Amino acid sequence: MSAVLDPHGHGHDHGHGDHAHHAPSGWRRWVYATNHKDIGTMYLLFAFTMLMVGGVLALGIRAELFQPGLQFVNPELFNQFTTMHGLIMVFGAIMPAFVGFANWMVPLQIGAPDMAFARMNNLSFWLLIPAALMLVGSFFMPGGAPAAGWTLYAPLTLQMGPSMDAGIFAMHILGASSIMGSINIVVTILNMRAPGMTLMKMPLFAWTWLITAYLLIAVMPVLAGAITMTLTDRHFGTAFFNPAGGGDPVMYQHIFWFFGHPEVYIMILPAFGIVSAVVPAFARKRLFGYTSMVYATASIAILSFIVWAHHMFTTGMPVTGQLFFMYATMLIAVPTGVKVFNWIATMWRGSMTFETPMLWAVGFIFVFTMGGFTGLILAMAPIDIQLQDTYYVVAHFHYVLVAGSLFGMFAGFYFWSPKWCGVMYNETRGKIHFWSSLVFFNITFFPMHFLGLAGMPRRYADYPMQFADFNMLASVGAFGFGLSQVYFFVLVALPVMRGQGEKAAQKPWEGAEGLEWEIPSPAPFHTFETPPKLDASATRIVG
Amino acid sequence: MPHLSSLCRHVAQASLLLGAGLATSAAVAVNNLPGGPAVNQLDLHPPVTKIAAEQQWLHYYIMALCVVIFVAVFGVMFYSIFKHRKSKGAKSANFHESVAVEIAWTVVPFVIVIAMALPATKVVVAMKDTTNADLTIKATGYQWKWGYDYMKGEGEGIGFLSTLDVTHREMSDSGKPAATDDYLLKVDNPLVVPVDKKIRIVLTANDVIHAFMVPAFGIKQDAMPGFVRDTWFRAEKTGDFYGQCAELCGKEHAYMPIHVKVLSAPDYAKWVDGQKKAMAASADDPAKQWQLDELVARGEKVYADNCAACHQASGMGAGPIKALVASPVVLDADKTKQIATLLNGAANGAMPAWKQLSDTELAAVITYTKNSWTNKTGQLVQPAEVVAARK
C-alpha cells in the first residue's frame, strides 16, 4: 500500500505508536497537515501541476515560433506567455519541488521526527495555492497577464495593467512561503539531528539544502523590496525606477539580480545534493571528497552574492565594473568544477549499475556541465556583449535549469519514490522517460545556441526567416519533451502513488547509504519519534 | 593564433553541413542576408569591426578550451561508465578522498580561468573606450522605432526616425510571410555612417529600455530612459548591416530593427548633402495654415507610420488599446484634450508620448483621427495650436 495517497492509519504494523495520535483523515489530513511527509507530497504534486501549467505556456511559445509569422497568438499574448512561463517555472515548479524533497527527505536523513515548525510548514505550503491561483488567474484580468518578462524590468512594468499588481502580490506570498520553508529547514537541520549525526557526517542533500535555505532567507526579502518599489512606483507616485520622476531603471536591475543570481543557485544546489546521494549508491562506493563537496557548495553560495551584474554587461557598466563581475563570475567555475570532478571520481573504479536514478544523475552531470561551459562563455564580458538577450542565453539557462534542476529532481524521484510509496516504479518506463527526455531536451535547446550566436534576440514573437529551420527543430523537440513528462506522470508517477508495482524492499538499492534506508518502505507515517542510536559513520542505526 | 581560428572555422563548416542535413528546410527560398543573419548560421556574424573580430577570436579560444576540457572530463567519465560496471565484474574500490588530487583539480581550473580572463580584459578595455569619435550620433529608442540624431561631426543636424517597413509587419500578422531575405529587418530610413571612421553612438530611450544591437559590429548597448549610455564602432567595410532591439520593450519588441548603411567617404558626403537639402525642402513651416483635406492626407501617412501598430488601421484598437472610433477624447470639441494626450501620453505610458513628432505631423494626425472612419467632426487642428500646447 502506498504511504502517499492512502489515508493515515495504515502504518499500523510498524510499532511506532501511530495509534496514539488521532491524526485527521480525509480532506482534513491534507488541509490540516503537519506531517512532513504529507506536506512533502503536497509540495511535489503542486510543483508538478505548475510544471504542467508552465509547460503548456512553453508549448504555446514554441507553437508560435514553429514558423515565421504570427499564427496562433498576438505579440502581446506572446509576451505574457514568456513572462508567465518563467515566473511559474521558477517560483511555482522548481522552488516548491525542492522544498517538497526537503520536507520528505531532510527529517529522514538526519533522524528527526518531523520538521521543527510543523504548523508553519502547513502554512508555507498552503500559501502557495492562493499565490498560484492569482498568478495563473492574471491571464483573465483586464489587459491579460504581466508581459514584462520574468525579470519584471522597470519601467516596462509601469506600463502593465492591473495583473501586474496581482503578480507582485503573488510573488510576495510565494516569497513569504519560501522564507518560512527555509527557516523551518535551517532550524530542523541545526537542532533536530539525531545524536551522533554531526554536521560533517550529514548527507550532502541536507547540506546543500542548509546552504540553499540561508541563500533564500538572504535574498527573498531583496526581491520583495524590488517589487514593492515597483508597486509604489505604479500607484503611489514614487519614482524609484521611473525615469520620468528621476528614478533609475538600472537600479531595479541591480536589486533584482542581487536576488536573481543567488536564486539560480537556490535552484541548483539541492539538485547537487540529490546527485551526490545517487551517484555513490549506484557506484557502490563512498562519495569522493565529501569535505570538499561541502566547501565547494558553500563557496558557490558565497560567490553567488558578488556576481549579479554579469546579467547587466550591456547596461553600460564602467570598465572596472565589467572586469570585476567577469572575474568573479569565472571564479564560480572552480568550485563547480570540483563538484563535477568529485562525482566522476566517485564513479571511477566503482561497481556501477544503471537503474533509472543513476541514468538521470549521469544525464545531469553530462548535460549540466554543457550548461556550465556556456555559462563560462557568457561570463566573458566581450562575448556576452554579442550573446546577451539572445537565444544563446535561453539555451544556457535551460541547460542548467531543465537538464540541471529538473533532471536532478527526476533522479531524486526515482531514487526515493520506493521509500515514499513502498513500491518500485516500472524500470522500463523509467528508462523510456529518461531517454526520451534527454533526446528531446537536446533537440529543443541545442539549436538555440546557434540561433543565439547568429543574433536572434529572445522574447521575439516573430523572427527573420534565416532562423526558421532551427526554430522549427526546437519546437518539435519541445513538444516531444512535454509529452515525455506527461508519459512520466501517467505511466510512472501515478501507478507508484497508487501503490501499483513490485513491493519495495527497505533498502532497494544495494549501494545506498543513510538513515532513510534504515526504516521500512513505505516510510511509516511517523519516524524517529525517539532519536535513533547511530553508528560511527552516522549512516546506520544500531541497537 | 590564426591556426586556432582556422581550425575552428573548419569545425564550424563541418557542423554546418551536419546541421543543414538535420534541419528540415522550412523557408525554402530564403537566402543569406549579407550583413544580417545567414540561413542556419552556426557562428557569430562575420566581423566588420576590430572589436567584433576580437570577440569572435575570444569565442573560438574559449570554445577550444571548453572542448578540450569536455573531452578530457567526459572521456574519463564514459571510460569509467563502460569499464567499471558491476555487469563486467567490477569490484568497487575503497578510496574516497585524496588531498593532493583535490588541490590539483582546484588549482588547475583556477589557472585555466585566469588564462581565459586575461585576453578578455584587453577587449573589455577597448570596447569601453568611446573617446575621440569622428562622428557622434544619438540613437533614441521609442516604442517601437529608433530615432537617429547626428550630434557632432559630418552630417551634424540630420535627424530622422527609422521604422520597420509596414508591409513586413502586415506579413507577420498574416501568419504566412512570403520568403523575404530581409524579413523584419527592412526599415524606411537606415542609419547611414561613413566607413573607417570611429562612430560613437549615444543612447537613450523615450519610454522603456531598448537595446541597440548590431552583431557584425560587435555592439549591444541598452538604451535607458532618463539616462545616456554610449558605445562605438569603426566599420571596416561598406555595406548594409542589420540588428534588432535586444531588450524586451513591449508588444512590438520584435518589430524595431536596426539597419546601418556604411558608405565610403565620398558617398557619405553626398548622402549628407542630399539629406540636408531634403530637410530644408520638406521642413514644415509651423505657421502655415492648412486646408482640411491636405491635412487629413498628411495625417493618414503619419497614422500609418506611428499609430496603426496599436490602434489598427481601422481605428478600432485591440484588447486594452482604446478604439479611436467614437472615442470621447477624439470627438471632444475641446481640441486641447487630444493634443495633450498625444504630447504627454496616457494610461501610464501605455499610450506613449509623441512629442518627438513635428508640430505639423501631430496636427495632421489629430485632424486625421477627427475626420476618419465614422468620426466626422469636421474639426481642423493647425500646427500653431500644437505649438501653443507644447509650451
Side-chain angles (χ1 to χ4, degrees):
Chain A
M1 294 298 268
S2 155
V4 172
L5 289 185
D6 283 357
H8 164 60
H10 61 88
H12 42 74
D13 47 283
H14 300 306
H16 278 282
D18 284 6
H19 53 273
H21 296 273
H22 296 282
S25 57
W27 62 271
R28 286 184 184 83
R29 172 182 173 188
W30 304 104
V31 174
Y32 302 153
T34 50
N35 181 289
H36 71 101
K37 302 182 183 83
D38 281 355
I39 293 174
T41 303
M42 288 196 291
Y43 261 111
L44 289 171
L45 287 174
F46 170 82
F48 194 83
T49 310
M50 295 309 276
L51 181 78
M52 288 292 114
V53 175
V56 167
L57 294 175
L59 294 186
I61 294 168
R62 286 314 324 168
E64 180 51 62
L65 295 176
F66 184 68
Q67 282 185 337
L70 301 171
Q71 289 88 22
F72 299 103
V73 297
N74 59 46
E76 179 69 19
L77 188 58
F78 182 88
N79 289 347
Q80 296 174 22
F81 278 11
T82 55
T83 304
M84 298 304 288
H85 165 71
L87 288 174
I88 286 174
M89 287 302 198
V90 168
F91 294 99
I94 299 179
M95 291 169 65
F98 278 133
V99 180
F101 275 97
N103 258 292
W104 253 104
M105 299 318 300
V106 165
L108 293 186
Q109 289 195 325
I110 63 170
D114 205 306
M115 298 294 281
F117 305 118
R119 288 186 199 285
M120 187 166 87
N121 205 8
N122 173 296
L123 180 61
S124 56
F125 171 76
W126 283 105
L127 278 178
L128 295 177
I129 305 295
L133 289 175
M134 199 154 29
L135 209 52
V136 177
S138 65
F139 272 107
F140 306 101
M141 297 179 73
W150 86 276
T151 51
L152 305 175
Y153 274 9
L156 191 55
T157 41
L158 308 182
Q159 293 185 354
M160 295 289 130
S163 66
M164 192 67 238
D165 306 318
I168 289 173
F169 192 33
M171 309 289 287
H172 276 135
I173 300 175
L174 290 169
S177 157
S178 280
I179 290 173
M180 281 192 269
S182 303
I183 292 175
N184 218 338
I185 288 166
V186 169
V187 175
T188 306
I189 292 179
L190 292 186
N191 292 290
M192 296 176 67
R193 280 169 288 128
M197 176 66 76
T198 61
L199 280 177
M200 288 312 277
K201 285 180 185 167
M202 218 165 49
L204 258 173
F205 178 69
W207 252 118
T208 53
W209 241 117
L210 180 64
I211 292 167
T212 302
Y214 274 110
L215 285 182
L216 272 166
I217 294 170
V219 300
M220 289 310 292
V222 178
L223 172 71
I227 56 180
T228 304
M229 286 186 261
T230 304
L231 191 74
T232 61
D233 270 11
R234 282 169 54 80
H235 296 294
F236 307 122
T238 58
F240 293 108
F241 311 131
N242 185 359
D248 184 351
V250 183
M251 178 62 88
Y252 174 85
Q253 299 183 20
H254 280 294
I255 300 174
F256 179 86
W257 286 114
F258 188 83
F259 147 80
H261 202 79
E263 168 72 12
V264 308
Y265 292 97
I266 286 165
M267 292 191 281
I268 196 65
L269 293 183
F272 287 169
I274 293 173
V275 170
S276 301
V278 172
V279 170
F282 293 91
R284 291 167 182 75
K285 188 160 156 281
R286 265 178 72 185
L287 181 68
F288 186 87
Y290 172 90
T291 318
S292 64
M293 283 300 230
V294 172
Y295 290 143
T297 311
S299 320
I300 293 174
I302 291 165
L303 284 174
S304 77
F305 283 104
I306 57 164
V307 298
W308 76 89
H310 66 215
H311 298 269
M312 300 166 56
F313 283 146
T314 62
T315 55
M317 255 187 288
V319 178
T320 42
Q322 288 206 352
L323 291 178
F324 171 78
F325 286 107
M326 176 171 85
Y327 299 151
T329 305
M330 296 179 75
L331 262 189
I332 292 196
V334 176
T336 313
V338 167
K339 287 191 151 286
V340 173
F341 299 145
N342 281 348
W343 288 322
I344 292 174
T346 307
M347 292 187 215
W348 187 254
R349 291 183 54 213
S351 170
M352 279 187 276
T353 52
F354 293 90
E355 289 90 341
T356 311
M358 184 62 163
L359 287 179
W360 284 105
V362 173
F364 168 96
I365 297 171
F366 187 67
V367 194
F368 171 80
T369 304
M370 287 164 60
F373 282 131
T374 54
L376 198 55
I377 290 171
L378 286 168
M380 312 274 291
I383 308 179
D384 184 73
I385 295 294
Q386 285 280 17
L387 301 177
Q388 163 71 4
D389 268 317
T390 68
Y391 263 79
Y392 196 90
V393 175
V394 177
H396 160 70
F397 68 71
H398 283 93
Y399 265 78
V400 290
L401 284 181
V402 180
S405 310
L406 189 65
F407 281 21
M409 283 189 249
F410 281 132
F413 173 85
Y414 285 99
F415 188 55
W416 284 315
S417 64
K419 182 59 58 189
W420 300 341
C421 305
V423 293
M424 297 304 291
Y425 60 86
N426 182 313
E427 192 63 53
T428 315
R429 290 177 184 173
K431 287 190 166 134
I432 292 174
H433 176 217
F434 169 73
W435 285 109
S436 65
S437 294
L438 184 74
V439 169
F440 283 122
F441 168 80
N442 281 293
I443 294 178
T444 311
F445 294 106
F446 202 75
M448 290 186 187
H449 292 115
F450 301 131
L451 288 173
L453 286 168
M456 176 171 163
R458 61 193 284 213
R459 295 161 168 170
Y460 261 32
D462 196 5
Y463 48 83
M465 303 222 163
Q466 288 82 359
F467 301 133
D469 290 349
F470 284 138
N471 269 294
M472 184 176 274
L473 196 61
S475 293
V476 171
F479 277 85
F481 189 79
L483 287 177
S484 305
Q485 308 325 312
V486 175
Y487 174 88
F488 160 74
F489 187 71
V490 175
L491 290 174
V492 180
L494 263 189
V496 167
M497 282 193 288
R498 290 195 176 123
Q500 297 162 358
E502 205 183 309
K503 189 155 175 17
Q506 172 169 321
K507 190 172 93 162
W509 314 117
E510 191 188 351
E513 278 193 342
L515 298 187
E516 70 262 43
W517 310 112
E518 299 287 299
I519 53 168
S521 296
F525 196 64
H526 294 296
T527 38
F528 303 125
E529 284 168 291
T530 50
K533 207 164 151 4
L534 306 180
D535 71 347
S537 67
T539 55
R540 312 281 321 245
I541 296 177
V542 289
Chain B
M1 297 303 168
H3 294 297
L4 186 64
S5 57
S6 78
L7 173 74
C8 291
R9 214 162 291 141
H10 285 303
V11 172
Q13 277 163 359
S15 37
L16 175 70
L17 290 174
L18 187 70
L22 282 175
T24 49
S25 220
V28 196
V30 172
N31 309 303
N32 298 345
L33 177 66
V39 177
N40 297 333
Q41 183 180 333
L42 297 173
D43 194 5
L44 295 168
H45 285 243
V48 178
T49 63
K50 264 214 180 62
I51 294 287
E54 299 257 354
Q55 289 167 339
Q56 190 169 40
W57 181 85
L58 261 182
H59 182 241
Y60 289 150
Y61 168 64
I62 305 291
M63 271 300 278
L65 278 176
C66 287
V67 168
V68 169
I69 300 169
F70 185 87
V71 170
V73 169
F74 288 106
V76 172
M77 186 178 90
F78 281 107
Y79 175 85
S80 177
I81 283 175
F82 288 113
K83 285 285 174 191
H84 305 145
R85 280 174 184 251
K86 198 183 178 197
S87 58
K88 296 207 168 152
K91 293 265 179 299
S92 52
N94 237 336
F95 66 88
H96 58 84
E97 57 190 355
S98 157
V99 176
V101 169
E102 286 171 62
I103 288 178
W105 68 40
T106 310
V107 172
V108 171
F110 186 71
V111 173
I112 296 177
V113 160
I114 292 175
M116 290 177 169
L118 286 179
T121 304
K122 211 181 66 190
V123 186
V124 169
V125 174
M127 278 190 321
K128 298 298 290 185
D129 178 19
T130 54
T131 53
N132 297 321
D134 299 310
L135 176 60
T136 303
I137 300 171
K138 183 176 87 168
T140 310
Y142 297 99
Q143 283 175 318
W144 292 275
K145 59 178 62 88
W146 290 97
Y148 300 116
D149 293 288
Y150 290 64
M151 313 280 286
K152 206 170 156 217
E154 190 181 1
E156 194 174 322
I158 296 174
F160 51 86
L161 291 172
S162 177
T163 317
L164 173 68
D165 189 286
V166 184
T167 59
H168 285 228
R169 186 66 187 82
E170 284 162 1
M171 271 201 277
S172 180
D173 264 339
S174 76
K176 280 202 179 72
T180 316
D181 291 350
D182 59 356
Y183 177 59
L184 300 186
L185 296 170
K186 187 178 178 193
V187 299
D188 51 1
N189 304 307
L191 175 63
V192 180
V193 297
V195 73
D196 287 326
K197 291 269 192 270
K198 184 167 186 176
I199 316 289
R200 174 173 176 241
I201 305 279
V202 178
L203 284 127
T204 188
N206 185 53
D207 29 52
V208 299
I209 305 171
H210 304 268
F212 186 84
M213 158 179 91
V214 184
F217 297 165
I219 56 169
K220 182 181 289 143
Q221 173 59 54
D222 292 357
M224 298 285 170
F227 291 83
V228 172
R229 296 283 195 268
D230 64 355
T231 185
W232 71 276
F233 63 88
R234 186 195 299 270
E236 293 172 346
K237 278 186 209 139
T238 57
D240 295 283
F241 302 97
Y242 300 88
Q244 290 174 295
C245 176
E247 182 66 64
L248 179 62
C249 58
K251 76 183 188 70
E252 302 289 304
H253 172 43
Y255 304 105
M256 49 180 293
I258 294 145
H259 174 186
V260 185
K261 199 183 244 324
V262 180
L263 297 180
S264 65
D267 285 350
Y268 179 73
K270 231 181 281 165
W271 176 82
V272 168
D273 193 44
Q275 203 68 15
K276 290 229 155 131
K277 280 192 187 128
M279 278 170 67
S282 72
D284 295 306
D285 174 9
K288 177 182 170 185
Q289 288 291 315
W290 293 67
Q291 296 301 312
L292 181 62
D293 50 345
E294 53 178 355
L295 208 48
V296 167
R298 178 78 188 270
E300 188 171 4
K301 250 188 104 267
V302 179
Y303 185 86
D305 288 347
N306 299 287
C307 318
C310 291
H311 290 290
Q312 308 296 320
S314 62
M316 294 307 292
I321 289 157
K322 294 214 170 78
L324 301 180
V325 175
S327 152
V329 178
V330 177
L331 296 183
D332 203 307
D334 179 3
K335 294 181 271 190
T336 57
K337 284 190 184 162
Q338 195 180 351
I339 297 173
T341 305
L342 266 79
L343 283 175
N344 306 320
N348 261 331
M351 161 75 183
W354 291 97
K355 48 183 182 291
Q356 74 274 16
L357 296 182
S358 75
D359 300 319
T360 309
E361 285 171 322
L362 284 172
V365 78
I366 293 170
T367 308
Y368 171 73
T369 56
K370 282 180 176 293
N371 295 284
S372 298
W373 313 300
T374 52
N375 299 349
K376 299 288 178 208
T377 59
Q379 293 172 23
L380 183 68
V381 176
Q382 293 293 353
E385 294 175 69
V386 180
V387 174
R390 273 194 205 265
K391 284 167 189 157

